[in-house]
Amino acid sequence: MEFYGYTRCSTCRKALAWLRERGLEPRQHDITVTPPSAERISGVLAASGGKRTGLLNISGMSYRALGADAVKAMTDDQLIAALLADGRLLRRPFLVLDDGRVLTGFRPDQWQAALEGVQPADS
């Protein structure tokens, strides 16, 4: 399991603590230094039917600096390039499960459902 977060993000810290309370210890990546791969981001975009809201941190300064209109005008390839260039544009935390599923943002009920059957690290 791969966890992409940002140390200054309180939601990321809550999500990581939540995972650890369940005995799960994901490999951690600073999303601003090492964002998920272009292939992973493209896969999430495709799985969402092209809806971008699940990928974007629309409350962040990076998004506001670009502007909603500029983001809407981007092609998918341009959006992916922008997300790779600035990990703060990505909605976080960004959790990649070992089976390839991806969870963005921290919603405990959805994470709980998605993690059913995932064994703790010491099992």
Side-chain angles (χ1 to χ4, degrees):
M1 173 180 324
E2 304 282 333
F3 182 91
Y4 295 86
Y6 181 52
T7 57
R8 297 171 76 188
C9 170
S10 61
T11 303
C12 294
R13 290 191 305 266
K14 286 178 193 173
L16 195 53
W18 186 91
L19 289 167
R20 288 177 173 156
E21 286 170 7
R22 285 150 184 78
L24 302 171
E25 189 60 48
R27 291 173 295 283
Q28 296 179 57
H29 306 279
D30 183 328
I31 204 165
T32 66
V33 176
T34 310
S37 69
E39 294 79 18
R40 179 71 63 199
I41 294 170
S42 179
V44 172
L45 188 59
S48 71
K51 292 189 335 186
R52 297 171 169 197
T53 54
L55 272 176
L56 292 164
N57 176 14
I58 61 172
S59 63
M61 290 176 22
S62 292
Y63 180 83
R64 288 192 301 257
L66 279 176
D69 291 337
V71 172
K72 286 179 187 173
M74 289 179 179
T75 65
D76 287 350
D77 287 340
Q78 289 170 328
L79 176 67
I80 292 166
L83 292 167
L84 291 172
D86 184 354
R88 290 186 183 122
L89 281 171
L90 276 162
R91 186 171 185 188
R92 56 189 186 258
F94 190 103
L95 184 68
V96 180
L97 303 180
D98 291 338
D99 63 8
R101 291 178 293 151
V102 174
L103 304 171
T104 62
F106 179 54
R107 293 176 302 282
D109 56 334
Q110 291 179 356
W111 282 38
Q112 184 67 43
L115 290 169
E116 288 295 322
V118 174
Q119 296 300 312
D122 58 339
S123 295

